[in-house]
């Protein structure tokens, strides 16, 4: 059995996420998703709309996903590959040449899949005006006349 592992926050689940998971699953027989915990997202300076448990439930509903494990820190990746007997780590092409994944090439295959054009969580937030709201959340509103 060929085991595939991918990492991510998977917040505001969209077609790009589904397509990545589908293509990752097509590379093997068993897909493991290491889902960033809320605490790890805070360390990364990333704010998710949905909490970890909600994001986990959404991923569990996707037929391509066989197992979800928590991603607690950058350093756990080698242990994950060994513990879960992973053959291939799959990430989006935006992670290509990132040392957090390149360092795994001595113990497993690392594959970068092209991103789905025109869709990303950042773009969705921007299109909905959420990015601007997020950036302005700590500003004091100016009273209108």
């Amino acid at each position: 059995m060929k085991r595939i592992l991918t990492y991510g926050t998977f917040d505001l689940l969209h077609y790009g996420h589904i397509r990545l998971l589908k293509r990752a699953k097509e590379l093997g027989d068993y897909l493991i998703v290491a889902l960033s915990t809320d605490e790890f997202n805070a360390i990364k300076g990333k704010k998710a709309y949905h909490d970890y448990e909600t994001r986990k439930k959404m991923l569990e509903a996707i037929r391509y996903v066989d197992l979800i494990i928590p991603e607690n820190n950058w350093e756990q990746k080698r242990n994950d590959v060994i513990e879960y007997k992973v053959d291939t780590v799959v990430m989006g092409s935006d992670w290509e040449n990132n040392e957090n994944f390149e360092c795994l090439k001595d113990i497993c295959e690392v594959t970068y899949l092209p991103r789905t054009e025109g869709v990303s969580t950042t773009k969705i937030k921007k299109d909905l005006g959420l990015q601007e709201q997020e950036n302005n959340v700590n500003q004091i509103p100016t009273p209108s006349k």
Side-chain angles (χ1 to χ4, degrees), residues 41 74 115:
N41 277 336
W74 292 113
R115 291 181 58 94

Side-chain angles (χ1 to χ4, degrees), residues 8-142:
T9 297
F10 297 97
D11 191 33
L12 302 182
L13 202 58
H14 55 70
Y15 176 68
H17 291 137
I18 302 300
R19 189 165 172 263
L20 173 75
L21 295 169
K22 180 179 189 284
R23 292 181 296 155
K25 178 65 177 247
E26 288 170 351
L27 296 174
D29 306 298
Y30 193 82
L31 178 60
I32 303 164
V33 176
L35 180 63
S36 299
T37 62
D38 298 330
E39 295 78 14
F40 185 43
N41 277 336
I43 290 168
K44 295 188 289 184
K46 192 172 194 177
K47 183 168 175 22
Y49 179 80
H50 296 288
D51 66 13
Y52 175 84
E53 286 303 319
T54 301
R55 292 180 286 118
K56 183 178 181 205
K57 286 176 186 170
M58 289 190 298
L59 286 173
E60 287 171 340
I62 298 170
R63 67 180 175 184
Y64 310 115
V65 177
D66 295 297
L67 176 66
I68 299 161
I69 62 172
E71 180 188 23
N72 298 301
N73 57 63
W74 292 113
E75 296 78 26
Q76 79 182 63
K77 289 170 181 43
R78 285 188 81 78
N79 288 337
D80 291 345
V81 169
I82 294 164
E83 181 178 345
Y84 293 97
K85 298 173 176 50
V86 170
D87 298 289
T88 305
V89 170
V90 173
M91 292 301 293
S93 57
D94 50 327
W95 288 98
E96 200 159 358
N97 299 318
N98 183 292
E99 187 51 36
N100 290 302
F101 298 102
E102 290 295 305
C103 69
L104 301 173
K105 286 185 171 182
D106 64 325
I107 59 172
C108 71
E109 182 181 348
V110 179
T111 301
Y112 301 99
L113 298 175
R115 291 181 58 94
T116 302
E117 291 292 322
V119 65
S120 72
T121 302
T122 303
K123 182 181 183 319
I124 290 169
K125 286 180 177 180
K126 184 180 177 193
D127 290 352
L128 293 175
L130 298 175
Q131 202 72 42
E132 186 177 309
Q133 288 175 14
E134 208 172 273
N135 294 338
N136 293 332
V137 75
N138 292 325
Q139 292 183 1
I140 300 169
T142 307

